[in-house]
Amino acid sequence: MGDKKAFTTVKDAIKNFEEKYGMKGAEAEHVKLYAQYPPIEKMDANLGTLKLCKHLALSTNSIERIGGLTGLDHLEILSLGRNQIKKIEGVEGVAGTLKQLWISYNNIEKLAGIGVLKNLEVLYMSNNKVAAWGEFEKLQELPNLQELLFIGNPLEEKHSKDGDWRIQVIKRLPNLKKLDGNMIEDEEREQAQS
């Protein structure tokens, strides 16, 4: 194992994708770089070569920081579940186009930086480490957010136990249509307003 690299680079992962699917990364709309072995540790500028990519899948790797997204001018879905990400950063380059961020099973505690994603409609971030309403309320900076998956964060676990999770969320995010996989009912909206 002496000279074997401990991680796969983005460049090599793109090459693997091209060989496996017989298409150029620069021409693909859905680029699958998930579950690389060895895993990807760093998102770098090579991602910017994926010019037509609408859905970039990087889940199940060992990525610690979001980055390298400049040049992905058509990106609508970014899938980063099951990594080691601690905060939302480096997303400015795709802020104008990104509609869905899938970032469950990471180590995110704080949501500073998410407010740049003004077109975000779907946020899957179950099983992270958000524990405070002050952090959660940064989601109010996302005017188009319609669907949120937040199960498995300390904040959700505490308030689900207390029985007021959904109402507390609806109070804070009145435009939300779906929470944790279930549509928000009119009755719940009325309760949240009272």
Side-chain angles (χ1 to χ4, degrees):
M1 297 263 309
D3 59 346
K4 187 153 169 48
K5 285 187 299 206
F7 293 99
T8 299
T9 64
V10 165
K11 194 173 183 176
D12 286 345
I14 292 171
K15 204 184 298 173
N16 296 343
F17 166 80
E18 290 176 334
E19 285 167 11
K20 185 173 179 181
Y21 295 98
M23 59 171 80
K24 285 191 165 67
E27 294 167 8
E29 288 192 359
H30 185 179
V31 181
K32 303 170 185 173
L33 309 179
Y34 54 76
Q36 295 292 307
Y37 183 80
I40 296 170
E41 186 186 36
K42 193 174 188 316
M43 294 172 70
D44 63 35
N46 284 295
L47 291 169
T49 64
L50 305 171
K51 291 293 174 205
L52 300 180
C53 184
K54 289 184 178 176
H55 182 172
L56 177 59
L58 282 159
S59 51
T60 316
N61 279 295
S62 292
I63 296 163
E64 292 187 9
R65 299 177 71 133
I66 303 172
L69 297 173
T70 304
L72 288 159
D73 299 333
H74 301 280
L75 194 66
E76 294 179 5
I77 303 174
L78 177 58
S79 165
L80 286 164
R82 298 186 190 275
N83 277 289
Q84 314 287 326
I85 296 164
K86 293 186 176 68
K87 54 185 177 183
I88 311 274
E89 61 186 347
V91 290
E92 296 76 14
V94 293
T97 57
L98 201 68
K99 291 183 178 164
Q100 301 193 19
L101 179 59
W102 305 352
I103 200 157
S104 295
Y105 294 94
N106 275 285
N107 299 312
I108 298 165
E109 213 173 307
K110 299 195 178 333
L111 289 169
I114 201 159
V116 299
L117 299 174
K118 295 298 180 206
N119 294 311
L120 202 68
E121 296 170 5
V122 175
L123 176 61
Y124 294 155
M125 64 166 300
S126 67
N127 301 88
N128 274 284
K129 299 200 158 60
V130 179
W133 283 118
E135 288 306 319
F136 183 91
E137 284 162 5
K138 296 193 171 103
L139 299 179
Q140 293 169 336
E141 298 167 30
L142 304 172
N144 294 301
L145 189 65
Q146 293 173 23
E147 185 175 342
L148 176 65
L149 185 65
F150 215 80
I151 287 171
N153 279 275
L155 186 68
E156 177 274 329
E157 288 172 343
K158 179 196 181 304
H159 285 276
S160 285
K161 206 168 130 195
D162 294 349
D164 67 344
W165 169 243
R166 289 179 68 85
I167 299 303
Q168 290 292 347
V169 169
I170 297 163
K171 272 183 187 167
R172 288 167 171 85
L173 301 174
N175 298 331
L176 212 57
K177 292 187 170 71
K178 197 173 184 183
L179 174 61
D180 298 332
N182 296 307
M183 297 307 283
I184 291 172
E185 307 292 337
D186 293 343
E187 197 180 299
E188 292 178 299
R189 288 192 197 287
E190 283 166 28
Q191 263 185 289
Q193 283 162 4
S194 61

